[in-house]
């Protein structure tokens, strides 16, 4: 049955309204670009261009070989510390657990947190595994030869001072930032302490979005 002129007018009007509403919804849902100043106030610093990583060969807390290729395929947060650290390291790992637990499930599944030990003398794979199990967050751990650790740390602008292992109960001086690596295995920025866990859990999904 042919439509009348009124019916055609109504149909066209409804279609036009639908298009306008669709455009409005799309505009509302479209996220504004990330503001570097806002991110820096939250302790997050992103580079203008991603930086490549060197080839390294370390050992994971499971005893397997670990290379820079293990950082490909997901977002990674890397923290350089050691298990005998009395303050900064357990606090940082606890903060990262809080952030990870607060992320939406989809973002949490795309994020890996790894502790890179700068104390290979004491941090065996077993020691790392037992330490990270305490946080019950699925965190990973790696360590290795001092030269390999130094190569990775230098590429990621992480500072630490190799300790005098002849001293009993020695400490290791190290920086406290958390390094951010994208799914392409590129160094894209870092998070500076003190960590604002609420803000980090808000911004990380935005940063990680495709």
């Amino acid at each position: 049955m042919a439509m009348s002129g009124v019916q055609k007018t109504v149909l066209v009007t409804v279609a036009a309204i639908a298009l306008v509403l669709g455009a409005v919804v799309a505009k509302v849902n479209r996220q504004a670009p990330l503001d570097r100043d806002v991110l820096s106030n939250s302790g997050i610093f992103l580079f203008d261009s991603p930086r490549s990583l060197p080839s390294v060969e370390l050992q994971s807390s499971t005893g397997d070989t670990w290379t820079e290729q293990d950082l490909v395929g997901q977002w990674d947060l890397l923290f350089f510390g050691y298990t005998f650290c009395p303050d900064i390291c357990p606090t940082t790992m606890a903060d990262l657990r809080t952030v990870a637990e607060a992320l939406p499930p989809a973002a949490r599944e795309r994020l890996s947190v790894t502790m890179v030990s700068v104390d290979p003398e004491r941090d065996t794979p077993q020691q790392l595994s037992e330490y990270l199990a305490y946080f019950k967050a699925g965190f990973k751990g790696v360590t290795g030869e001092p030269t390999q650790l130094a190569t990775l740390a230098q590429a990621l602008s992480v500072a630490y001072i190799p300790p005098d292992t002849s001293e009993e109960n020695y400490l290791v001086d190290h920086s406290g930032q958390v390094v951010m690596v994208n799914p392409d295995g590129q160094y894209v920025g870092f998070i500076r302490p003190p960590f604002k866990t609420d803000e980090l859990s808000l911004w990380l999904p935005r940063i990680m979005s495709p």
Side-chain angles (χ1 to χ4, degrees):
M1 183 174 62
M3 290 188 297
S4 66
V6 173
Q7 288 174 319
K8 290 181 180 179
T9 300
V10 171
L11 184 61
V12 171
T13 302
V14 169
I17 292 174
L19 287 174
V20 171
L21 288 176
V24 171
V25 170
K27 183 176 181 180
V28 170
N29 290 336
R30 188 183 304 124
Q31 294 177 323
L34 292 170
D35 188 310
R36 299 298 180 94
D37 291 334
V38 173
L39 289 178
S40 64
N41 288 334
S42 297
I44 303 171
F45 299 85
L46 298 178
F47 304 138
D48 292 331
S49 301
R51 304 177 185 181
S52 60
L53 297 182
S55 296
V56 292
E57 185 171 309
L58 300 171
Q59 189 175 29
S60 74
S61 55
T62 62
D64 299 320
T65 298
W66 185 96
T67 73
E68 76 285 352
Q69 291 303 310
D70 285 275
L71 298 174
V72 175
Q74 69 287 316
W75 279 87
D76 288 271
L77 299 181
L78 305 182
F79 172 68
F80 285 68
Y82 64 111
T83 67
F84 290 84
C85 177
D87 40 36
I88 296 175
C89 298
T91 299
T92 298
M93 299 308 290
D95 284 342
L96 291 177
R97 177 183 60 190
T98 298
V99 171
E101 290 177 344
L103 295 177
R108 179 66 186 93
E109 291 175 1
R110 298 175 57 231
L111 179 69
S112 178
V113 176
T114 301
M115 179 178 182
V116 182
S117 173
V118 293
D119 183 17
E121 181 74 17
R122 293 179 295 190
D123 283 345
T124 62
Q126 181 179 355
Q127 171 65 22
L128 267 175
S129 180
E130 292 176 355
Y131 178 82
L132 294 172
Y134 169 80
F135 296 97
K136 299 179 180 179
F139 292 162
K140 301 175 182 179
V142 298
T143 188
E145 295 295 327
T147 54
Q148 293 290 296
L149 289 170
T151 296
L152 181 61
Q154 184 176 5
L156 297 173
S157 304
V158 173
Y160 69 94
I161 301 176
D164 180 358
T165 58
S166 65
E167 296 184 4
E168 187 178 2
N169 299 321
Y170 60 84
L171 300 178
V172 184
D173 290 327
H174 62 92
S175 53
Q177 75 264 32
V178 170
V179 171
M180 304 173 64
V181 178
N182 69 15
D184 293 324
Q186 299 169 316
Y187 177 28
V188 296
F190 60 93
I191 305 170
R192 180 180 294 168
F195 301 108
K196 302 175 182 179
T197 56
D198 290 342
E199 296 180 30
L200 293 178
S201 61
L202 175 67
W203 287 115
L204 280 179
R206 288 283 313 278
I207 295 170
M208 295 166 57
S209 62

